[in-house]
Structures are given as C-alpha cells and as structure tokens.
C-alpha cells in the first residue's frame, strides 16, 4: 500500500489486480462474499474499485481471504505485505473516510452559505442521492447474483395504498396548499422509504429540511422562522420532536408546526412524518395520569394533518410484485422466503436479526434485553459500553453469570451482536465518531430500530429490579439521560429510586393521604420548604422579568403546599395581572370556590382571551351551568382546536343533562373522532336509551376494534375469566386509553378479597401507570373503603423493592 496510490478505491483496485495476476482470481467473488457476509456482486465492485465500502470489517474479511490463499501458495511475503497488512488498511480507510466526510461537509457548507444568502433553509431535492442519510434502512444482500451485476442502493420500489395518499399530499403542496402526512406503522414496514420516494417526485424547485442539530426539537424551534415556500420538513420518527422530557418543549414544536401549516404567506410547505403505533397513541390518545401533556401535538397530527396506517404485511398489486422480483434478486428472495407477508421486514434483514438473537449466548441475550429496556425507559440511542455491561449484569441470572462471564465476555458479546446480518447492521451497531469531534471516553452502540420497537412492545409491562435501575442511573451517558430514566422509574412507582436523581421541582409524590405512603405529607412539606429556600437564594434584583415570573409561580405553588393560602393567592393575582399562563385560572377558581361567580367569570375571560385553554374551559363550565350553551359551544370549539379533546365530552354531558340528545350525540361523536375513545361508552348508551339498538351494536364493535374494551372486559370478569379481563384492560392501554383499566381496578379493589385487585395494581404500576392507581386511591374514603386503602398501601410500599417477572427476550 504505497503512497503513490491515490485513494482507497485505487487500493482496492490494486488488490483485485493482485488476486487476478498472482492467484488466478482465487478465491472467487462468491467465496469471498461468504467470508464477508455480502453479495458476490458487491465484492466484485470493490475489487474493481467502483464502490466505496461502508463497513471496514467486511473489507478486512475479503483481505483475509486473499491473504490466506497467498500464504497457501507460498508467495514471498514481500510481494503481499504492502496489500495485505490490516493496520495499513485501517489507516487508509480512516483517511479516506475523513476526506469524504470533509468533502461532504464542505459541499453542505457551500450549499448552506448560498441558501443563507437567499434566505433558504435545507437542500435542493435534486441534490439528494443518499437515502441512508435520511434514515432509510439498508437492504439485505441477495443470496445469489448469477449475472454478477451491481444492484442499486435500494430494492425496486413497489407502490401500495398509502403511496396514493402521499402523492395526494405532495400534489396538494405543489398546487400551493400546505400539507402534513404522517405514516404510522411498525419498524421496517417501509414508512421512511415511502417518504423518500415521494420526495424524489417533487419538482427541482423544492428543498428539504431535516432538523436534527443540536437536538431534534431545538433544531425545529431554531429553524422554523426561516422555513420558506416549497420546503419539505422531514420529521422521521416524529416522537423525537414531540415526545420530549419536558412536555412544554414538544408542545412548542407542535404549535410552531401548526402555525407554519396555516400561514398562507409561509407556504406551500410539505411535512412528511413517520410514527410507531405506540408513539402515535401516546401523542394522540386521550390524556390520563398527571394531565394532558400533548394537546398541541394531538391537534397537529389529527386535525392539521392527514395520517394513515401501514400494515405489517405487504399488500400490493401481485403483478407489480412479480415484475419487481424479476428485476431485483433481493425482492425475489424476500418474496420467496418472507413469512406472513412481511416482505419489507425481510428486506431490512429482520429474520437474520432475530436468528442472531435466537442463537445468542445467554449474556448476549441479557445485553440485548438491557439495551431494549434502556431505550424504552428513556435513555438516548447512544449506549455506552459500561452502561451495557452493568445493566446486562443486573438482568442476568446468577447461574448465567457464573457460567458465562469469563474474562472477555463483554468484548466477545459486542463483537457477536455488532457483526452484520446478511449485509445489514447487526442487533447493535458501533457508533463511529465523525472526524473533528472529541472522542468519547468509551465506545457507544446503537440498538437496531426493529429490536427497539420489539422491546417496547414485548417488555412494555415489565419493570426491572432495583439493581438494574441503580446500574442504569450510575452509568447513563448524561444527566439528561439519568433524569429520563428517573422519571420512568417514578412513573412505575419506584419513588425512592427516582428521588436520588430528580430535584424538588420535578418530583411529585405519588401519595399524600398519610405519611405511610411513599413521599407523603412530610416529604411534600420538606420539598416545598426546599423550593422556597432555593428561590430566595437564586432570585436577585437583576433577575430578568420572565425568570422572575417563573420564580413567583414556583413560590405560589410552594406556599400552597405549606398551607399559606393568603400569601399564595396574592402572588397568583400578581401573576394573573401579568397574564402569566395558568394564573387567571388559579385566581378564577378561588373566586368560584368562594361563591363569587361574577369575579370568577371575569378572570376566566381574561385568561381565555389570551389563549389559555384551561381558562377557556373554566369559562365553559360557568356558561354551561348558567344555560348559555351556544356561547359555551363556541368556546368548546376553540378549546378543541388547541387539542383539548375533553372539551367535546364535557359539552356533550351538559347537552345530555338538559335533554338535547341530538347535540349530545354529536359531541360524543366528535370526542371519539378526536381520540377520546372512552366516549364510545356514552355514545352507545345514548343510542341504546333511544331504542336505536342497531347503531348501538355497530358502535360496540367499532369501540372494541379501537381499544375501548370495557364491555367485553367486564363480561369476562363476571364470568371469572380474570386473565382475559386483564388482557383486555391492557389492550385498551396499548390503544391509548386507561378507562377500562381504571374500571377493572375499581371493581376488584372493592371486593371483600382484594388479592386480584392488588395483583392488577402492581401490573399497572410496572407498566408505567402508577398515576392511574394513585388517582383511583384518591377516590377511596378511609371510612367507606378501609380495605381498599390498605390494599393500595401494601402495593406502593413494596413497589421500590421488587421488579416484575422477566418476559421472554
């Protein structure tokens, strides 16, 4: 490998020449392909110097195959040394990769500089030629390629039903009307590829903006003011932008995107988004737990934009599939071997990935389970080696650890899990640092997208044992990751674990009824006193006004916790005069509690006029109670427009109370269509009471398919089929509603024997629904439900000490 050779491709070409001239083209391309785990055509392209390899390890496997043949033939070492030395290959590859990165960066910087002069954001769509930079999955290498011809980067594309909807959204944008389309589907179902194909159809005048730096939501907020007409905003994995640790950050992103879509002077723009079903349900489903954290996101995705679901099975025109299989051996192989119609998953290497896991040693399985749990519990994609090691140790049994944890177990495990599967990345992928960035203190790995989704589903009701949480919090990559993990622990009733990380501002207690509950009155008082001390220390005469208002809000809430209502109310009124969000509601509520309805309405109107949805709702309550339903309806529509789908149901109940059944049905239906599927029960009841049993039966079937499982759940419960009832309750949770789970818990905890109720409560807590159990406990009265309260106390007292049973990996 001499200095006269220019570039890594020339070196590969020289290796091919060496094989041809000295070894008679042995080993063959096919023999080398088996060593490297790639196609024979790819090996041929490398040795002709026509394709740059993406993975050095596969190149080294080819080099090793040629070196072995050279040694077998007894070639002089001097002849082969310059071409067959691994260290020189590594150095040359790193040099070439750095040069390519610099060239790419320079090209991007030139394009960005030109765009900045014109005020544009993003890159022209005509310049996009690398789908992998947009998170499109790599495809498998074909098993056989008899013609030894180079294949395109991506398999032949076959359109399906959702492509027509994408084309419609793109056409709408081309005609001058902004559009948002979200594709909902599991991992490797073709969501991102479909968006890529739509992108490629747009005229050359369009640009693409993919906001990712310094973080997904921050990039959006920073760049939104500069988004110009004919721009595609690429929101792949939309949860990165909208499901944030601080919900207000994601809500600001959603509000900004909604404003972009409805501003005629900013468009046309086209927003392309993808979402996993679980994330879609979290963003658009009925709010529960501590409140509604996603009204803006819900309004963006379900009201401002269109959406469609992509099934796991590949459904298309059979003739198109046949034509694609004839032209692309990868499609032909997938069509022949994919099980259950999962063709796109096969192309993305999912069967090979699962086979790697199925045959993995026990500690490799523990490592993958640890990675799955870390990701679903909130850690960022970059998983440090020490974190994987410590959490895998926490998940492994004593027997597994004693038998398999030899000296090099971690190195061997990471090598096994990061080796490509049939040409696509393995279960874990080593994250390579870009040139010019500070090297990390340890290697970091990323979990396969498919396994991440698989873990989120198969392990969704499993809460790890305390030793896992301790290891995760100790070795997490950053403090933000520790906070995210601590929040996940708290949501699963592990309050003591969470308290070691979260501060007094962000850690609400689960129970306040008595000091016997975790973080009860004593802890709440201590927390409030600590907050006041911190505010007094940090606030200065030079504190900016915005920050000073935030200090005042925290001071008012802390004073309320300590029972100093008069001082708190004075601060709330000061904040309300400054139109601080939520303050008008707080003051209005206090006037209403004191019977001063006129003053309460004035404060609610003041907050409503400034856009506070809680103030709007307070006003609606007063108007409805006074019989002013027409004005209440107008405000309800405005509330729903900012994402508060409960506004529809509240109005529907009021119409039902005054006997206006027609409008009650109308608003129950609006609530259901907006995502509040709990209201199916009310809609069915109203139709049934009217004698319209056919519609009631149809709605019943529709409700079950949407996840509103209360009816069949209670039927199973009354029949003694408790396991079935449990499954139906959690099926509803998976669809984004907790009403059936709450109903079943309430029923069981009022029985003379609360054992089944306690078991279900623990399951709910382990699944991350601790606040649902907490909310239910708050409804029990010490005088009327002493047994129920004791059962709740036992559940939460033991939550910190145990983990749920291990699911299958």
């Amino acid at each position: 490998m001499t200095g006269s050779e220019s570039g890594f491709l020339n070196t590969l070409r020289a290796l091919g020449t060496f094989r041809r001239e000295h070894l008679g083209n042995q080993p063959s391309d096919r023999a080398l392909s088996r060593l490297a785990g790639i196609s024979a055509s790819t090996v041929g392209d490398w040795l002709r110097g026509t394709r740059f390899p993406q993975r050095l390890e596969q190149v080294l496997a080819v080099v090793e195959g040629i070196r072995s043949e050279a040694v077998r033939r007894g070639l002089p070492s001097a002849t082969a040394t310059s071409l067959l030395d691994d260290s020189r290959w590594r150095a040359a590859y790193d040099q070439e990769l750095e040069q390519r990165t610099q060239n790419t960066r320079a090209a991007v910087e030139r394009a960005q500089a030109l765009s900045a002069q014109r005020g544009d954001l993003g890159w022209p769509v005509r310049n996009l030629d690398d789908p992998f930079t947009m998170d499109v999955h790599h495809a498998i290498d074909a098993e056989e390629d008899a013609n030894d011809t180079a294949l395109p980067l991506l398999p032949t594309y076959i359109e399906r039903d959702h492509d027509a909807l994408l084309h419609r959204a793109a056409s709408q944008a081309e005609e001058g009307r902004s559009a948002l389309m979200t594709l909902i589907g599991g991992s490797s179902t073709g969501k991102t590829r479909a968006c890529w194909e739509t992108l490629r159809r747009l005229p050359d005048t369009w640009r693409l903006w993919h906001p990712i730096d310094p973080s997904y939501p921050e990039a959006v907020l920073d760049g939104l003011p500069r988004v110009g007409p004919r721009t595609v905003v690429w929101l792949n994995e939309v949860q990165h932008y909208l499901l944030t640790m601080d919900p207000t950050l994601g809500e600001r992103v959603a509000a900004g995107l909604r404003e972009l879509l409805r501003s005629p002077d900013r468009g046309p723009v086209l927003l392309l988004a993808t979402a996993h079903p679980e994330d879609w349900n979290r963003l658009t489903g009925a709010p529960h737990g501590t409140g509604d954290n996603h009204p803006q996101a819900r309004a963006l995705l379900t009201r401002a934009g269109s959406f469609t679901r992509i099934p796991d099975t590949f459904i298309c025109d059979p003739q198109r599939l046949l034509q694609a299989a004839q032209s692309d051996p990868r499609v032909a192989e997938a069509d022949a071997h994919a099980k259950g119609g999962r063709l796109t998953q096969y192309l993305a290497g999912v069967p090979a990935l699962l086979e790697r896991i199925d045959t993995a040693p026990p500690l490799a399985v523990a490592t993958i389970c640890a990675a799955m749990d870390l990701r679903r519990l909130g850690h960022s994609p970059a998983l440090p080696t020490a974190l994987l090691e410590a959490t895998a140790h926490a998940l492994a049994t004593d027997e597994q650890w004693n038998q398999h944890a030899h000296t090099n177990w971690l190195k061997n495990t990471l090598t096994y899990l990061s080796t490509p599967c049939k040409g696509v990345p393995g279960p874990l992928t080593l994250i390579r640092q870009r040139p010019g960035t500070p090297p990390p203190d340890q290697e970091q790995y990323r979990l396969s997208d498919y396994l991440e989704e698989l873990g989120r589903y198969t392990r969704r009701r499993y809460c790890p044992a305390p030793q896992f949480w301790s290891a995760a919090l100790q070795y997490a990559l950053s403090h933000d990751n520790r906070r995210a993990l601590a929040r996940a622990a708290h949501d699963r009733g592990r309050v003591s674990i969470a308290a070691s990380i979260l501060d007094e501002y962000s850690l609400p207690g689960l129970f306040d009824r008595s000091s016997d509950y975790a973080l009860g009155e004593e802890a709440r008082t201590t927390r409030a006193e600590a907050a006041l001390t911190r505010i007094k220390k940090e606030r200065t005469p030079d504190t900016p006004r915005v920050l000073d208002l935030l200090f005042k809000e925290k001071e008012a809430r802390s004073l309320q916790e300590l029972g100093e209502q008069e001082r708190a109310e004075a601060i709330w009124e000061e904040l309300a005069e400054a139109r601080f969000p939520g303050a008008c509601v707080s003051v209005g509520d206090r006037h209403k509690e004191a019977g001063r309805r006129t003053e309460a309405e004035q404060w609610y109107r003041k907050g409503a006029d400034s856009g506070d949805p809680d103030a709007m709702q307070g006003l609606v309550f007063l108007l409805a109670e006074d019989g002013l339903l027409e004005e209440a309806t107008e405000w309800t529509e405005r509330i729903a427009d900012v994402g508060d789908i409960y506004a529809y149901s509240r109005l529907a109940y009021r119409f039902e109370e005054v006997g206006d059944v027609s409008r009650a049905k109308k608003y129950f239906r609006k609530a259901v269509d907006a995502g509040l599927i709990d209201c199916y029960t009310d809609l069915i009841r109203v139709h049934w009471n009217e004698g319209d049993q056919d519609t009631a039966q149809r709605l019943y079937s529709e409700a079950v398919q949407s996840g509103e499982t209360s009816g069949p759940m209670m039927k199973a419960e009354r029949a003694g089929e408790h396991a079935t009832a449990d499954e139906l309750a959690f099926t509803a949770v998976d669809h984004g509603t907790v009403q059936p789970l709450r109903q079943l818990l309430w029923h069981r905890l009022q029985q003379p024997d609360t054992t089944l109720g306690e078991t279900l409560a623990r399951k709910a807590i382990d699944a991350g629904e601790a606040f649902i159990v907490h909310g239910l406990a708050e409804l029990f009265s010490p005088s009327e439900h002493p047994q129920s309260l004791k059962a709740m106390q036992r559940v939460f007292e033991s939550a910190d000490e145990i983990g749920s049973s291990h699911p299958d990996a």
Side-chain angles (χ1 to χ4, degrees):
M1 198 170 298
T2 65
S4 62
E5 296 166 345
S6 58
F8 195 75
L9 292 179
N10 285 342
T11 308
L12 278 170
R13 192 177 299 115
L15 181 63
T17 301
F18 172 83
R19 182 186 64 157
R20 184 177 64 254
E21 294 180 351
H22 294 278
L23 304 176
N25 275 335
Q26 294 299 319
S28 68
D29 288 356
R30 279 201 172 80
L32 292 173
S33 72
R34 287 192 289 270
L35 291 174
I38 54 178
S39 70
S41 62
T42 299
V43 172
D45 287 345
W46 288 357
L47 297 180
R48 287 189 294 271
T50 60
R51 184 191 296 191
F52 179 71
Q54 298 300 312
R55 302 182 183 89
L56 176 61
E57 291 74 14
Q58 293 175 329
V59 178
L60 295 179
V62 171
V63 173
E64 175 59 29
I66 295 175
R67 177 169 49 234
S68 298
E69 180 65 16
V71 171
R72 189 184 71 79
R73 297 194 181 199
L75 290 181
S77 59
T79 305
T81 295
S82 63
L83 282 174
L84 305 179
D85 186 329
D86 277 6
S87 62
R88 295 189 180 187
W89 276 97
R90 292 181 185 278
Y93 185 84
D94 289 343
Q95 181 179 358
E96 177 79 9
L97 190 62
E98 181 173 0
Q99 184 61 50
R100 284 172 175 261
T101 302
Q102 289 174 351
N103 291 342
T104 301
R105 185 183 296 116
V108 169
E109 289 173 352
R110 286 194 298 272
Q112 289 177 334
L114 183 60
S115 296
Q117 294 174 5
R118 299 195 306 258
D120 297 333
L121 194 68
W123 308 273
V125 295
R126 64 178 178 273
N127 293 346
L128 297 170
D129 58 5
D130 186 352
F132 305 129
T133 62
M134 306 309 297
D135 301 323
V136 177
H137 284 158
H138 287 263
I140 59 169
D141 290 321
E143 287 183 351
E144 295 292 340
D145 184 7
N147 296 324
D148 202 29
T149 56
L151 295 172
L153 287 177
L154 297 176
T156 301
Y157 191 68
I158 308 168
E159 290 196 349
R160 290 178 278 170
D161 289 347
H162 58 269
D163 289 287
L165 300 175
L166 277 169
H167 297 337
R168 185 185 306 166
S171 297
Q172 174 182 322
E174 289 181 54
E175 293 168 1
R177 294 171 291 129
S178 296
L180 160 64
M181 172 57 72
T182 305
L183 298 183
I184 308 158
S187 177
S188 305
T189 51
K191 303 184 300 296
T192 312
R193 175 70 190 277
C195 291
W196 171 260
E197 294 299 322
T198 299
L199 188 69
R200 304 286 287 171
R201 295 166 60 100
L202 291 170
D204 289 348
T205 54
W206 280 73
R207 305 178 66 81
L208 172 73
W209 178 44
H210 185 197
I212 60 174
D213 184 55
S215 70
Y216 293 100
E218 290 175 297
V220 171
L221 293 175
D222 179 61
L224 267 179
R226 295 182 286 129
V227 174
R230 293 176 297 282
T231 299
V232 178
V233 182
W234 190 265
L235 302 172
N236 193 47
E237 305 288 6
V238 74
Q239 73 273 8
H240 293 321
Y241 300 92
L242 303 180
L243 282 176
T244 53
M245 176 65 181
D246 177 3
T248 58
L249 180 59
E251 284 293 274
R252 287 174 58 203
V253 171
L257 293 172
R258 289 183 66 202
E259 188 63 29
L260 174 65
L261 283 169
R262 70 179 187 177
S263 299
D265 57 329
R266 304 280 305 280
V269 295
L270 175 61
L271 277 58
L272 296 178
T274 67
H276 292 274
E278 179 186 83
D279 295 321
W280 177 264
N281 290 338
R282 290 174 64 190
L283 286 166
T284 65
H288 62 272
T290 54
D292 188 358
N293 289 328
H294 310 296
Q296 290 283 0
R298 186 184 307 109
L300 170 71
L301 297 173
T302 64
R303 296 168 67 86
S306 301
F307 57 91
T308 188
R309 295 180 182 269
I310 300 180
D312 289 342
T313 55
F314 194 87
I315 303 171
C316 70
D317 181 344
Q319 187 61 34
R320 288 187 177 182
L321 177 58
L322 177 61
Q323 292 172 352
Q326 290 172 343
S327 64
D328 193 320
R330 294 167 295 188
V331 177
E333 180 183 333
D335 186 34
H337 299 295
K339 297 180 180 179
R342 294 174 175 258
L343 187 138
T344 54
Q345 293 90 334
Y346 189 97
L347 286 170
V350 169
L353 201 67
L354 296 178
E355 183 180 356
R356 179 72 57 82
I357 299 300
D358 289 342
T359 58
L363 293 187
V365 174
T367 302
I368 284 298
C369 290
M372 288 176 170
D373 286 344
L374 288 166
R375 287 294 293 128
R376 71 183 178 88
L377 296 172
H379 197 282
S380 62
L383 303 173
T385 305
L387 176 63
L388 290 171
E389 179 182 22
T391 50
H393 170 261
L395 293 183
T397 65
D398 290 340
E399 181 181 1
Q400 290 171 339
W401 187 257
N402 292 332
Q403 289 185 5
H404 300 282
H406 48 73
T407 304
N408 294 320
W409 81 266
L410 182 62
K411 178 181 178 181
N412 293 342
T413 292
L414 294 176
T415 299
Y416 176 86
L417 294 174
S418 60
T419 300
C421 302
K422 202 172 171 51
V424 298
L428 293 177
T429 301
L430 177 65
I431 300 175
R432 292 187 176 277
Q433 294 302 117
R434 295 183 178 274
T437 58
D441 59 355
Q442 57 185 303
E443 290 184 335
Q444 298 169 8
Y445 289 82
R446 179 171 185 142
L447 179 65
S448 152
D449 288 347
Y450 182 84
L451 292 181
E452 181 176 322
E453 182 182 272
L454 183 67
R456 288 200 299 175
Y457 180 76
T458 60
R459 302 174 72 81
R460 66 195 184 284
R461 300 174 195 167
Y462 162 64
C463 183
Q467 54 266 36
F468 174 92
W469 293 105
S470 298
L473 293 173
Q474 180 178 355
Y475 293 101
L477 187 61
S478 67
H479 184 62
D480 284 345
N481 282 311
R482 281 188 286 276
R483 285 181 58 83
L485 291 167
R487 172 60 62 191
H490 185 259
D491 290 346
R492 288 159 178 78
R494 276 58 179 180
V495 181
S496 297
I497 294 170
S500 66
I501 299 296
L502 298 174
D503 58 34
E504 68 271 18
Y505 287 130
S506 57
L507 180 61
L510 282 174
F511 285 94
D512 298 322
R513 188 182 299 280
S514 75
S515 58
D516 292 330
Y517 287 116
L519 292 186
E521 290 288 349
E522 183 178 349
R524 186 173 65 171
T525 299
T526 302
R527 194 167 59 248
E529 291 173 345
L532 289 174
T533 300
R534 183 171 172 177
I535 291 169
K536 184 176 180 180
K537 179 180 179 181
E538 294 183 2
R539 181 197 263 156
T540 67
D542 299 327
T543 298
R545 175 170 171 75
V546 173
L547 184 57
D548 188 61
L549 291 175
L550 290 172
F551 277 134
K552 287 182 182 295
E553 182 210 18
K554 295 181 185 299
E555 182 179 6
R557 293 189 184 282
S558 298
L559 289 170
Q560 283 180 281
E561 293 280 337
L562 295 173
E564 299 187 32
Q565 297 298 333
E566 290 188 8
R567 290 178 61 191
E569 288 179 18
I571 297 174
W572 280 121
E573 290 205 14
E574 183 181 350
L575 288 168
E577 291 292 351
R579 301 296 177 92
F580 188 86
C584 289
V585 175
S586 182
V587 176
D589 287 346
R590 279 156 183 74
H591 281 292
K592 183 180 177 182
E593 290 168 5
R596 298 187 291 269
R597 292 176 61 85
T598 301
E599 291 84 348
E601 181 179 340
Q602 290 174 350
W603 283 107
Y604 288 146
R605 284 192 182 277
K606 183 179 291 189
D609 289 338
S610 63
D612 186 340
D614 291 332
M616 294 182 197
Q617 189 56 63
L619 180 58
V620 166
F621 275 129
L622 286 183
L623 293 171
E625 288 174 358
D626 293 340
L628 302 173
L629 293 178
E630 296 304 324
E631 187 180 359
T633 300
E634 294 176 8
W635 279 108
T636 295
E637 294 290 355
R638 290 182 60 179
I639 298 169
D641 190 52
V642 296
D644 183 1
I645 56 179
Y646 274 116
Y648 286 138
S649 64
R650 296 184 190 110
L651 188 63
Y653 289 127
R654 185 57 182 161
F655 277 126
E656 189 179 11
E657 287 172 6
V658 299
D660 192 339
V661 178
S662 176
R663 286 208 280 184
K665 289 190 295 185
K666 173 184 176 180
Y667 282 96
F668 279 136
R669 182 75 244 188
K670 279 199 167 192
V672 167
D673 291 341
L676 191 61
I677 63 175
D678 296 358
C679 284
Y680 266 119
T681 302
D682 300 290
L683 194 56
I684 292 168
R685 173 177 48 77
V686 173
H687 279 281
W688 189 273
N689 290 342
E690 280 190 315
D692 186 359
Q693 297 182 3
D694 290 341
T695 301
Q697 289 289 353
R698 178 179 56 78
L699 289 170
Y700 181 87
S701 299
E702 184 182 318
V704 173
Q705 292 175 359
S706 300
E708 215 310 315
T709 59
S710 297
M713 177 193 71
M714 292 309 297
K715 182 179 180 180
E717 179 72 3
R718 287 189 291 270
E721 299 170 358
H722 304 302
T724 299
D726 284 2
E727 190 60 32
L728 287 167
F730 282 107
T731 296
V733 174
D734 292 339
H735 280 78
T737 181
V738 297
Q739 181 57 33
L741 175 60
R742 186 186 290 117
Q743 180 182 357
L744 187 59
L745 266 173
W746 177 263
H747 169 77
R748 288 186 180 176
L749 288 169
Q750 293 188 87
Q751 304 304 310
D753 183 356
T754 61
T755 302
L756 284 174
E758 291 181 47
T759 300
L760 183 61
R762 288 192 175 93
K763 287 182 180 180
I765 291 172
D766 288 341
E769 303 296 342
F771 279 104
I772 299 304
V773 184
H774 162 236
L776 202 62
E778 288 293 300
L779 299 178
F780 289 128
S781 163
S783 59
E784 298 178 12
H785 311 96
Q787 290 298 108
S788 302
L789 280 175
K790 288 180 180 179
M792 290 290 88
Q793 184 170 331
R794 287 192 294 270
V795 168
F796 273 93
E797 281 179 346
S798 62
D800 261 320
E801 303 168 4
I802 58 174
S804 54
S805 59
H806 286 254
D808 293 333

